[in-house]
């Protein structure tokens, strides 16, 4: 039985490639001496030459690692829920970059966001994309080793 870890797991690329089509986060190494950064959300299909895509554009340069894009918080105790903190259980520090699970009444989806404060909550709240039900810290870029 496959279990979901309590944090996102980075996989070095191209040594390891995803085996399933899906959505992924990428750690990208920039030009010259710039620090690696995280670029989200890319699609990948192993049947399509093993290239990551965003909005139809190929992304193969600078990719040094990938991680599975987080599934939305379900609230049913599933293994993927271990990555999330329900908002009712606590909120992140002011200014923290996060992933959030939004519930618009029809579906739940994941967005990158920033926590503003306990009154305004997240920036997404201002856009009216639904109620934010859970959050997780935004991961650090892959640094060549897992801790």
């Amino acid at each position: 039985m496959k279990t979901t870890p309590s944090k996102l797991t980075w996989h070095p690329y191209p040594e390891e490639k995803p085996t399933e089509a899906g959505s992924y986060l990428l750690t990208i190494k920039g030009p010259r001496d710039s620090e690696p950064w995280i670029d989200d959300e890319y699609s990948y299909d192993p049947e399509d030459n093993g290239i990551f895509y965003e909005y139809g554009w190929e992304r193969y340069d600078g990719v040094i690692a990938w991680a599975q894009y987080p599934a939305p918080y379900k609230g049913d105790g599933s293994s993927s829920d271990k990555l999330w903190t329900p908002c009712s259980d606590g909120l992140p520090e002011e200014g923290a970059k996060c992933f959030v699970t939004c519930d618009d009444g029809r579906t739940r989806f994941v967005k990158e966001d920033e926590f503003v404060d306990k009154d305004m909550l997240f920036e997404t709240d201002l856009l009216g994309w639904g109620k934010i039900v859970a959050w997780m810290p935004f991961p650090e870029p892959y640094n060549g080793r897992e801790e």
Side-chain angles (χ1 to χ4, degrees):
M1 181 170 125
K2 186 176 177 182
T3 60
T4 302
S6 59
K7 67 175 191 159
L8 295 175
T9 303
W10 288 112
H11 303 273
Y13 181 85
E15 295 86 1
E16 295 180 38
K17 293 183 179 177
T19 58
E20 299 174 359
S23 295
Y24 296 89
L25 295 171
L26 302 180
T27 294
I28 308 291
K29 177 66 174 161
R32 297 191 187 95
D33 294 331
S34 68
E35 292 293 317
W37 74 91
I38 295 175
D39 218 353
D40 82 341
E41 165 182 11
Y42 281 82
S43 62
Y44 182 88
D45 186 344
E47 304 286 321
D48 194 16
N49 299 320
I51 296 172
F52 291 96
Y53 288 90
E54 180 181 48
Y55 310 119
W57 295 92
E58 293 180 11
R59 181 66 192 234
Y60 53 88
D61 63 318
V63 176
I64 59 174
W66 59 271
Q68 184 74 45
Y69 198 78
Y73 175 75
K74 296 177 184 162
D76 62 3
S78 61
S79 60
S80 62
D81 278 359
K82 293 177 184 175
L83 293 169
W84 296 97
T85 299
C87 292
S88 59
D89 289 354
L91 296 169
E93 293 181 20
E94 193 171 310
K97 189 173 180 180
C98 305
F99 278 119
V100 295
T101 293
C102 301
D103 187 331
D104 67 4
R106 295 174 304 214
T107 188
R108 287 189 173 186
F109 55 95
V110 176
K111 297 287 299 170
E112 181 184 325
D113 207 339
E114 184 175 318
F115 182 70
V116 179
D117 63 36
K118 64 180 177 57
D119 295 320
M120 289 176 52
L121 294 178
F122 296 89
E123 288 183 355
T124 300
D125 289 320
L126 302 174
L127 300 173
W129 289 354
K131 178 182 178 185
I132 295 176
V133 295
W135 63 276
M136 75 168 67
F138 198 76
E140 293 293 321
Y142 177 73
N143 61 10
R145 64 186 185 286
E146 283 297 304
E147 291 147 14

